[in-house]
mmCIF file of all heavy atoms in Angstrom:
data_model
loop_
_atom_site.group_PDB
_atom_site.id
_atom_site.type_symbol
_atom_site.label_atom_id
_atom_site.label_comp_id
_atom_site.label_asym_id
_atom_site.label_seq_id
_atom_site.Cartn_x
_atom_site.Cartn_y
_atom_site.Cartn_z
ATOM 1 N N ASP D 269 -36.846 -39.937 -55.278
ATOM 2 C CA ASP D 269 -35.908 -40.117 -54.159
ATOM 3 C C ASP D 269 -35.107 -38.845 -53.925
ATOM 4 O O ASP D 269 -34.857 -38.444 -52.787
ATOM 5 C CB ASP D 269 -34.931 -41.265 -54.447
ATOM 6 C CG ASP D 269 -35.618 -42.619 -54.404
ATOM 7 O OD1 ASP D 269 -36.767 -42.669 -53.912
ATOM 8 O OD2 ASP D 269 -35.025 -43.602 -54.868
ATOM 9 N N PHE D 270 -34.693 -38.240 -55.020
ATOM 10 C CA PHE D 270 -33.880 -37.041 -54.905
ATOM 11 C C PHE D 270 -34.654 -35.897 -54.242
ATOM 12 O O PHE D 270 -34.131 -35.190 -53.387
ATOM 13 C CB PHE D 270 -33.384 -36.602 -56.287
ATOM 14 C CG PHE D 270 -32.536 -35.381 -56.225
ATOM 15 C CD1 PHE D 270 -31.241 -35.465 -55.754
ATOM 16 C CD2 PHE D 270 -33.036 -34.146 -56.582
ATOM 17 C CE1 PHE D 270 -30.453 -34.335 -55.662
ATOM 18 C CE2 PHE D 270 -32.253 -33.012 -56.489
ATOM 19 C CZ PHE D 270 -30.958 -33.109 -56.026
ATOM 20 N N ARG D 271 -35.914 -35.743 -54.630
ATOM 21 C CA ARG D 271 -36.757 -34.704 -54.023
ATOM 22 C C ARG D 271 -36.877 -34.920 -52.522
ATOM 23 O O ARG D 271 -36.772 -33.985 -51.730
ATOM 24 C CB ARG D 271 -38.158 -34.718 -54.642
ATOM 25 C CG ARG D 271 -38.248 -34.081 -55.985
ATOM 26 C CD ARG D 271 -39.669 -33.598 -56.238
ATOM 27 N NE ARG D 271 -40.638 -34.683 -56.395
ATOM 28 C CZ ARG D 271 -40.858 -35.312 -57.550
ATOM 29 N NH1 ARG D 271 -40.155 -34.994 -58.616
ATOM 30 N NH2 ARG D 271 -41.742 -36.258 -57.629
ATOM 31 N N THR D 272 -37.133 -36.164 -52.142
ATOM 32 C CA THR D 272 -37.261 -36.489 -50.726
ATOM 33 C C THR D 272 -35.969 -36.151 -49.997
ATOM 34 O O THR D 272 -35.970 -35.541 -48.929
ATOM 35 C CB THR D 272 -37.564 -37.996 -50.557
ATOM 36 O OG1 THR D 272 -38.627 -38.324 -51.429
ATOM 37 C CG2 THR D 272 -37.929 -38.329 -49.126
ATOM 38 N N PHE D 273 -34.868 -36.548 -50.622
ATOM 39 C CA PHE D 273 -33.544 -36.302 -50.051
ATOM 40 C C PHE D 273 -33.323 -34.806 -49.817
ATOM 41 O O PHE D 273 -32.921 -34.378 -48.732
ATOM 42 C CB PHE D 273 -32.505 -36.868 -51.015
ATOM 43 C CG PHE D 273 -31.104 -36.564 -50.649
ATOM 44 C CD1 PHE D 273 -30.464 -37.296 -49.667
ATOM 45 C CD2 PHE D 273 -30.412 -35.549 -51.286
ATOM 46 C CE1 PHE D 273 -29.155 -37.018 -49.324
ATOM 47 C CE2 PHE D 273 -29.103 -35.267 -50.956
ATOM 48 C CZ PHE D 273 -28.478 -35.996 -49.965
ATOM 49 N N LEU D 274 -33.656 -34.009 -50.827
ATOM 50 C CA LEU D 274 -33.474 -32.554 -50.704
ATOM 51 C C LEU D 274 -34.322 -31.966 -49.593
ATOM 52 O O LEU D 274 -33.862 -31.145 -48.796
ATOM 53 C CB LEU D 274 -33.877 -31.862 -52.011
ATOM 54 C CG LEU D 274 -32.807 -31.495 -53.006
ATOM 55 C CD1 LEU D 274 -33.383 -30.558 -54.054
ATOM 56 C CD2 LEU D 274 -31.606 -30.864 -52.334
ATOM 57 N N SER D 275 -35.581 -32.402 -49.540
ATOM 58 C CA SER D 275 -36.468 -31.792 -48.554
ATOM 59 C C SER D 275 -36.116 -32.225 -47.136
ATOM 60 O O SER D 275 -36.502 -31.587 -46.168
ATOM 61 C CB SER D 275 -37.938 -32.073 -48.870
ATOM 62 O OG SER D 275 -38.158 -33.445 -48.901
ATOM 63 N N ASP D 276 -35.334 -33.306 -47.033
ATOM 64 C CA ASP D 276 -34.886 -33.760 -45.712
ATOM 65 C C ASP D 276 -33.618 -33.058 -45.236
ATOM 66 O O ASP D 276 -33.229 -33.200 -44.075
ATOM 67 C CB ASP D 276 -34.607 -35.275 -45.724
ATOM 68 C CG ASP D 276 -35.890 -36.077 -45.731
ATOM 69 O OD1 ASP D 276 -36.953 -35.475 -45.477
ATOM 70 O OD2 ASP D 276 -35.831 -37.289 -45.989
ATOM 71 N N LEU D 277 -32.966 -32.328 -46.138
ATOM 72 C CA LEU D 277 -31.738 -31.636 -45.737
ATOM 73 C C LEU D 277 -32.066 -30.568 -44.705
ATOM 74 O O LEU D 277 -33.192 -30.094 -44.610
ATOM 75 C CB LEU D 277 -31.065 -30.978 -46.947
ATOM 76 C CG LEU D 277 -30.294 -31.892 -47.895
ATOM 77 C CD1 LEU D 277 -29.739 -31.084 -49.065
ATOM 78 C CD2 LEU D 277 -29.157 -32.592 -47.171
ATOM 79 N N SER D 278 -31.058 -30.202 -43.992
ATOM 80 C CA SER D 278 -31.239 -29.242 -42.906
ATOM 81 C C SER D 278 -31.956 -27.977 -43.371
ATOM 82 O O SER D 278 -31.756 -27.500 -44.485
ATOM 83 C CB SER D 278 -29.867 -28.894 -42.350
ATOM 84 O OG SER D 278 -29.884 -27.624 -41.800
ATOM 85 N N LYS D 279 -32.804 -27.474 -42.500
ATOM 86 C CA LYS D 279 -33.625 -26.315 -42.858
ATOM 87 C C LYS D 279 -32.868 -24.997 -42.714
ATOM 88 O O LYS D 279 -33.375 -23.955 -43.072
ATOM 89 C CB LYS D 279 -34.893 -26.267 -41.994
ATOM 90 C CG LYS D 279 -35.783 -27.477 -42.157
ATOM 91 C CD LYS D 279 -36.550 -27.445 -43.489
ATOM 92 C CE LYS D 279 -37.341 -28.727 -43.721
ATOM 93 N NZ LYS D 279 -36.726 -29.635 -44.702
ATOM 94 N N ASP D 280 -31.653 -25.062 -42.161
ATOM 95 C CA ASP D 280 -30.940 -23.788 -42.008
ATOM 96 C C ASP D 280 -29.880 -23.585 -43.084
ATOM 97 O O ASP D 280 -28.845 -22.982 -42.864
ATOM 98 C CB ASP D 280 -30.350 -23.632 -40.604
ATOM 99 C CG ASP D 280 -29.549 -24.844 -40.184
ATOM 100 O OD1 ASP D 280 -29.244 -25.665 -41.079
ATOM 101 O OD2 ASP D 280 -29.229 -24.974 -38.995
ATOM 102 N N LYS D 281 -30.191 -24.092 -44.263
ATOM 103 C CA LYS D 281 -29.328 -23.852 -45.418
ATOM 104 C C LYS D 281 -30.091 -23.048 -46.470
ATOM 105 O O LYS D 281 -31.323 -23.088 -46.526
ATOM 106 C CB LYS D 281 -28.915 -25.177 -46.076
ATOM 107 C CG LYS D 281 -27.992 -26.046 -45.248
ATOM 108 C CD LYS D 281 -27.574 -27.267 -46.065
ATOM 109 C CE LYS D 281 -26.881 -28.321 -45.232
ATOM 110 N NZ LYS D 281 -25.675 -27.879 -44.554
ATOM 111 N N ILE D 282 -29.338 -22.336 -47.295
ATOM 112 C CA ILE D 282 -29.911 -21.732 -48.494
ATOM 113 C C ILE D 282 -29.649 -22.722 -49.628
ATOM 114 O O ILE D 282 -28.497 -23.069 -49.885
ATOM 115 C CB ILE D 282 -29.239 -20.380 -48.825
ATOM 116 C CG1 ILE D 282 -29.466 -19.373 -47.707
ATOM 117 C CG2 ILE D 282 -29.753 -19.834 -50.153
ATOM 118 C CD1 ILE D 282 -28.699 -18.049 -47.900
ATOM 119 N N ILE D 283 -30.714 -23.211 -50.239
ATOM 120 C CA ILE D 283 -30.544 -24.220 -51.284
ATOM 121 C C ILE D 283 -31.186 -23.733 -52.584
ATOM 122 O O ILE D 283 -32.389 -23.468 -52.626
ATOM 123 C CB ILE D 283 -31.171 -25.564 -50.862
ATOM 124 C CG1 ILE D 283 -30.553 -26.047 -49.539
ATOM 125 C CG2 ILE D 283 -30.985 -26.614 -51.957
ATOM 126 C CD1 ILE D 283 -31.161 -27.327 -48.982
ATOM 127 N N LEU D 284 -30.389 -23.584 -53.618
ATOM 128 C CA LEU D 284 -30.898 -23.176 -54.922
ATOM 129 C C LEU D 284 -30.815 -24.363 -55.875
ATOM 130 O O LEU D 284 -29.754 -24.962 -56.027
ATOM 131 C CB LEU D 284 -30.068 -22.019 -55.503
ATOM 132 C CG LEU D 284 -30.469 -20.585 -55.120
ATOM 133 C CD1 LEU D 284 -30.390 -20.360 -53.632
ATOM 134 C CD2 LEU D 284 -29.598 -19.582 -55.865
ATOM 135 N N VAL D 285 -31.944 -24.677 -56.481
ATOM 136 C CA VAL D 285 -31.997 -25.795 -57.421
ATOM 137 C C VAL D 285 -32.434 -25.268 -58.772
ATOM 138 O O VAL D 285 -33.568 -24.806 -58.922
ATOM 139 C CB VAL D 285 -33.017 -26.864 -56.952
ATOM 140 C CG1 VAL D 285 -32.996 -28.066 -57.887
ATOM 141 C CG2 VAL D 285 -32.740 -27.304 -55.526
ATOM 142 N N ALA D 286 -31.550 -25.306 -59.748
ATOM 143 C CA ALA D 286 -31.909 -24.875 -61.102
ATOM 144 C C ALA D 286 -32.392 -26.078 -61.880
ATOM 145 O O ALA D 286 -31.768 -27.139 -61.840
ATOM 146 C CB ALA D 286 -30.709 -24.255 -61.806
ATOM 147 N N THR D 287 -33.506 -25.923 -62.565
ATOM 148 C CA THR D 287 -34.035 -27.041 -63.341
ATOM 149 C C THR D 287 -34.999 -26.532 -64.404
ATOM 150 O O THR D 287 -35.563 -25.448 -64.282
ATOM 151 C CB THR D 287 -34.746 -28.061 -62.421
ATOM 152 O OG1 THR D 287 -35.236 -29.144 -63.213
ATOM 153 C CG2 THR D 287 -35.893 -27.440 -61.656
ATOM 154 N N HIS D 288 -35.158 -27.333 -65.480
ATOM 155 C CA HIS D 288 -36.228 -27.019 -66.426
ATOM 156 C C HIS D 288 -37.378 -28.008 -66.251
ATOM 157 O O HIS D 288 -38.334 -27.994 -67.002
ATOM 158 C CB HIS D 288 -35.691 -27.013 -67.864
ATOM 159 C CG HIS D 288 -35.150 -28.330 -68.311
ATOM 160 N ND1 HIS D 288 -33.882 -28.747 -68.000
ATOM 161 C CD2 HIS D 288 -35.726 -29.339 -69.004
ATOM 162 C CE1 HIS D 288 -33.687 -29.956 -68.510
ATOM 163 N NE2 HIS D 288 -34.796 -30.335 -69.104
ATOM 164 N N VAL D 289 -37.255 -28.837 -65.213
ATOM 165 C CA VAL D 289 -38.296 -29.833 -64.934
ATOM 166 C C VAL D 289 -39.100 -29.370 -63.723
ATOM 167 O O VAL D 289 -38.623 -29.435 -62.584
ATOM 168 C CB VAL D 289 -37.667 -31.219 -64.651
ATOM 169 C CG1 VAL D 289 -38.746 -32.261 -64.433
ATOM 170 C CG2 VAL D 289 -36.736 -31.624 -65.777
ATOM 171 N N VAL D 290 -40.317 -28.888 -63.980
ATOM 172 C CA VAL D 290 -41.111 -28.259 -62.923
ATOM 173 C C VAL D 290 -41.346 -29.203 -61.750
ATOM 174 O O VAL D 290 -41.248 -28.805 -60.584
ATOM 175 C CB VAL D 290 -42.458 -27.757 -63.487
ATOM 176 C CG1 VAL D 290 -43.308 -27.141 -62.391
ATOM 177 C CG2 VAL D 290 -42.220 -26.752 -64.607
ATOM 178 N N SER D 291 -41.606 -30.475 -62.054
ATOM 179 C CA SER D 291 -41.940 -31.415 -60.975
ATOM 180 C C SER D 291 -40.776 -31.623 -60.003
ATOM 181 O O SER D 291 -40.989 -32.036 -58.865
ATOM 182 C CB SER D 291 -42.385 -32.758 -61.560
ATOM 183 O OG SER D 291 -41.350 -33.306 -62.334
ATOM 184 N N ASP D 292 -39.549 -31.305 -60.449
ATOM 185 C CA ASP D 292 -38.399 -31.445 -59.546
ATOM 186 C C ASP D 292 -38.554 -30.616 -58.280
ATOM 187 O O ASP D 292 -38.033 -30.974 -57.225
ATOM 188 C CB ASP D 292 -37.112 -30.971 -60.238
ATOM 189 C CG ASP D 292 -36.543 -32.026 -61.159
ATOM 190 O OD1 ASP D 292 -37.050 -33.156 -61.149
ATOM 191 O OD2 ASP D 292 -35.583 -31.693 -61.874
ATOM 192 N N VAL D 293 -39.207 -29.472 -58.410
ATOM 193 C CA VAL D 293 -39.267 -28.553 -57.270
ATOM 194 C C VAL D 293 -40.696 -28.300 -56.791
ATOM 195 O O VAL D 293 -40.904 -27.616 -55.787
ATOM 196 C CB VAL D 293 -38.589 -27.196 -57.604
ATOM 197 C CG1 VAL D 293 -37.088 -27.393 -57.796
ATOM 198 C CG2 VAL D 293 -39.193 -26.528 -58.809
ATOM 199 N N GLU D 294 -41.659 -28.875 -57.513
ATOM 200 C CA GLU D 294 -43.074 -28.595 -57.243
ATOM 201 C C GLU D 294 -43.466 -28.687 -55.773
ATOM 202 O O GLU D 294 -44.059 -27.781 -55.231
ATOM 203 C CB GLU D 294 -43.939 -29.537 -58.082
ATOM 204 C CG GLU D 294 -45.420 -29.475 -57.743
ATOM 205 C CD GLU D 294 -46.275 -29.191 -58.954
ATOM 206 O OE1 GLU D 294 -46.022 -29.792 -60.008
ATOM 207 O OE2 GLU D 294 -47.193 -28.355 -58.834
ATOM 208 N N ASN D 295 -43.108 -29.773 -55.139
ATOM 209 C CA ASN D 295 -43.590 -29.954 -53.761
ATOM 210 C C ASN D 295 -42.559 -29.652 -52.683
ATOM 211 O O ASN D 295 -42.834 -29.816 -51.502
ATOM 212 C CB ASN D 295 -44.113 -31.376 -53.578
ATOM 213 C CG ASN D 295 -45.315 -31.632 -54.454
ATOM 214 O OD1 ASN D 295 -46.251 -30.833 -54.475
ATOM 215 N ND2 ASN D 295 -45.273 -32.691 -55.232
ATOM 216 N N ILE D 296 -41.382 -29.242 -53.087
ATOM 217 C CA ILE D 296 -40.342 -29.029 -52.077
ATOM 218 C C ILE D 296 -39.861 -27.590 -51.985
ATOM 219 O O ILE D 296 -39.268 -27.208 -50.983
ATOM 220 C CB ILE D 296 -39.120 -29.952 -52.308
ATOM 221 C CG1 ILE D 296 -38.502 -29.713 -53.685
ATOM 222 C CG2 ILE D 296 -39.502 -31.407 -52.142
ATOM 223 C CD1 ILE D 296 -37.102 -30.298 -53.798
#
Side-chain angles (χ1 to χ4, degrees):
D269 290 347
F270 180 75
R271 282 205 292 276
T272 311
F273 174 79
L274 262 193
S275 59
D276 285 347
L277 283 178
S278 153
K279 299 285 174 256
D280 50 14
K281 292 185 191 301
I282 298 174
I283 303 176
L284 273 60
V285 184
T287 181
H288 62 278
V289 183
V290 178
S291 60
D292 280 352
V293 293
E294 172 125 44
N295 296 311
I296 59 164

